[in-house]
Amino acid sequence: MPPFTSRVVYAAAHVVADPNADNGPGRPAVLDWDATLRFREHLWSLGFGIADAMDTAQRGMGLDWPATQELIRRSGAAARAVDAANVPSLLACGAGTDQLPAGTYSLSDIRAAYEEQLGVVEGAGARVILMASRALAASARSAEDYLTVYGTLLSQSSNPAILHWLGDMFDPALAGYWGSRDIPTATATVLELINAHPAKIDGIKVSLLDADHEIELRRRLPPGVRLYTGDDFNYPELIKGDEIGHSDALLGIFDGIARPAARALRALDSGDLATYDRLMEPTVALSRHIFEKPTFHYKTGLVFLAYLNGHQDHFRMVGGLETARDATHLIELYRLARLAGVIDDPELADWRFKVMVA
């Protein structure tokens, strides 16, 4: 299917673990590459761009840098096979600093780690997403440190990049990002950075689960800079927008609700807001359940959905994170998934669900 026309939409995609490998906690990640790439082809077939090597792919929670490099390269090759002329619209990949062990570092060390990863992403032909950095959050002493590091990276980026503001509900190590725990103060720093480099920034992905803040920030962005919603609680209204504007999207929940979301976005393209609302509304309860606290374990729910829908043959995850949610959570997830219309093959899903719960 062609991409959506009224919004730029990236689905953040999960990875499929090799079930025959030791993917336990602290072990090097070993992926089932065929299943991982088939799932990306599935998302492309529905019209989504893919945000890869992000937190949905378990960056910092099981997917190590060696496996991440291979994921970026393989996804880049797959995107070129789909449409070599438009790879950045098909694929955006995270560049971060997670090859650095936990600790504090000089700004030059952090910048060098970012530069290494930026080179891998650009080498794959993908759009760069400058991921929020645990190392920078631990090491920065002021907002100026963020402006210095990001300003240098943006000046080096070959094409406009996507900034990444991930709240501490998704990663507690990112508390106080942009130099302050006060959101208005952090927002002022973000806007200072964007206004200093508007031509080098495609947009900013915001995952704070605060719709009012997102709308306010969106209205303050300079022309041409997108706000990509990462709000997995309030995405339908933010994407639909208002009389002043709308958010584009870079969302993990689209990994799990891809089919109904694609139909809703096609309806939005044609101006059919009633159909958009009808298709999106039932998915919200499912998304809020998948992303319930502790929010960073949402990946478990997405992989469980992929297993129920036949996108992979097992419910295993790198880092052993299939155990991160209990049976009660998964039972409610399945109930909400059926109500939301995201189950492709009810007979297969019901059989797999009963086996897993048993």
Side-chain angles (χ1 to χ4, degrees), residues 152-209:
T152 301
L153 296 171
L154 289 168
S155 69
Q156 296 175 1
S157 179
S158 299
N159 295 296
I162 298 174
L163 302 177
H164 180 231
W165 189 353
L166 195 66
D168 58 8
M169 69 288 292
F170 288 92
D171 187 345
L174 299 177
Y177 212 72
W178 304 112
S180 179
R181 292 177 180 267
D182 178 67
I183 295 300
T185 301
T187 299
T189 301
V190 168
L191 287 169
E192 182 178 351
L193 175 68
I194 293 172
N195 284 316
H197 307 276
K200 302 295 297 219
I201 298 172
D202 172 74
I204 179 169
K205 188 254 194 186
V206 179
S207 297
L208 298 180
L209 305 182

Side-chain angles (χ1 to χ4, degrees), residues 273-340:
L273 299 183
T275 298
Y276 172 85
D277 290 339
R278 177 176 59 80
L279 291 168
M280 279 294 204
E281 191 277 331
T283 70
V284 174
L286 172 63
S287 186
R288 286 178 175 247
H289 180 71
I290 289 173
F291 284 81
E292 72 179 5
K293 294 180 180 179
T295 301
F296 46 81
H297 283 319
Y298 74 88
K299 299 94 168 173
T300 302
L302 294 180
V303 173
F304 188 57
L305 271 179
Y307 168 66
L308 293 178
N309 269 330
H311 294 297
Q312 55 196 79
D313 295 330
H314 59 87
F315 178 40
R316 295 282 306 280
M317 298 175 67
V318 297
L321 287 183
E322 66 273 12
T323 63
R325 298 292 201 188
D326 63 19
T328 301
H329 176 91
L330 298 178
I331 290 168
E332 179 65 2
L333 186 156
Y334 183 47
R335 184 186 75 83
L336 293 171
R338 288 182 298 174
L339 292 174

Side-chain angles (χ1 to χ4, degrees), residues 105-170:
Y105 294 88
S106 68
L107 296 186
S108 60
D109 286 342
I110 293 169
R111 186 172 62 248
Y114 264 123
E115 289 168 348
E116 178 189 1
Q117 297 202 12
L118 193 151
V120 172
V121 174
E122 290 194 332
R127 185 177 299 283
V128 171
I129 303 171
L130 288 174
M131 294 183 69
S133 162
R134 291 176 179 173
L136 184 54
S139 306
R141 294 295 172 259
S142 67
E144 189 61 35
D145 288 346
Y146 288 88
L147 296 174
T148 298
V149 171
Y150 277 90
T152 301
L153 296 171
L154 289 168
S155 69
Q156 296 175 1
S157 179
S158 299
N159 295 296
I162 298 174
L163 302 177
H164 180 231
W165 189 353
L166 195 66
D168 58 8
M169 69 288 292
F170 288 92

Side-chain angles (χ1 to χ4, degrees), residues 17-295:
D18 182 342
N20 299 312
D22 179 4
N23 274 302
R27 303 297 298 159
V30 183
L31 300 188
D32 179 337
W33 290 112
D34 290 341
T36 293
L37 293 173
R38 276 199 307 272
F39 189 73
R40 281 139 183 79
E41 291 163 358
H42 161 67
L43 293 174
W44 282 324
S45 74
L46 296 172
F48 291 96
I50 292 172
D52 217 336
M54 300 292 292
D55 49 293
T56 303
Q58 294 183 244
R59 291 290 291 273
M61 292 187 69
L63 190 72
D64 51 25
W65 175 233
T68 297
Q69 292 181 72
E70 187 67 16
L71 174 65
I72 293 169
R73 294 187 181 108
R74 288 179 182 250
S75 293
R80 289 193 295 275
V82 172
D83 187 351
N86 294 294
V87 173
S89 66
L90 292 173
L91 182 67
C93 293
T97 64
D98 53 332
Q99 71 270 54
L100 299 174
T104 59
Y105 294 88
S106 68
L107 296 186
S108 60
D109 286 342
I110 293 169
R111 186 172 62 248
Y114 264 123
E115 289 168 348
E116 178 189 1
Q117 297 202 12
L118 193 151
V120 172
V121 174
E122 290 194 332
R127 185 177 299 283
V128 171
I129 303 171
L130 288 174
M131 294 183 69
S133 162
R134 291 176 179 173
L136 184 54
S139 306
R141 294 295 172 259
S142 67
E144 189 61 35
D145 288 346
Y146 288 88
L147 296 174
T148 298
V149 171
Y150 277 90
T152 301
L153 296 171
L154 289 168
S155 69
Q156 296 175 1
S157 179
S158 299
N159 295 296
I162 298 174
L163 302 177
H164 180 231
W165 189 353
L166 195 66
D168 58 8
M169 69 288 292
F170 288 92
D171 187 345
L174 299 177
Y177 212 72
W178 304 112
S180 179
R181 292 177 180 267
D182 178 67
I183 295 300
T185 301
T187 299
T189 301
V190 168
L191 287 169
E192 182 178 351
L193 175 68
I194 293 172
N195 284 316
H197 307 276
K200 302 295 297 219
I201 298 172
D202 172 74
I204 179 169
K205 188 254 194 186
V206 179
S207 297
L208 298 180
L209 305 182
D210 184 336
D212 290 338
H213 172 264
E214 179 174 317
I215 292 169
E216 179 188 359
L217 175 57
R218 184 175 76 201
R219 291 174 178 175
R220 296 172 67 187
L221 293 176
V225 176
R226 302 180 185 277
L227 192 301
Y228 289 98
T229 187
D231 187 333
D232 299 279
F233 284 5
N234 303 295
Y235 54 94
E237 65 195 70
L238 292 165
I239 295 169
K240 184 165 68 172
D242 53 31
E243 66 281 358
I244 298 177
H246 65 263
S247 295
D248 294 288
L250 197 163
L251 282 164
I253 192 56
F254 283 161
D255 179 291
I257 65 167
R259 289 194 190 278
R263 293 195 295 270
L265 290 163
R266 297 288 175 201
L268 187 62
D269 287 347
S270 66
D272 183 353
L273 299 183
T275 298
Y276 172 85
D277 290 339
R278 177 176 59 80
L279 291 168
M280 279 294 204
E281 191 277 331
T283 70
V284 174
L286 172 63
S287 186
R288 286 178 175 247
H289 180 71
I290 289 173
F291 284 81
E292 72 179 5
K293 294 180 180 179
T295 301

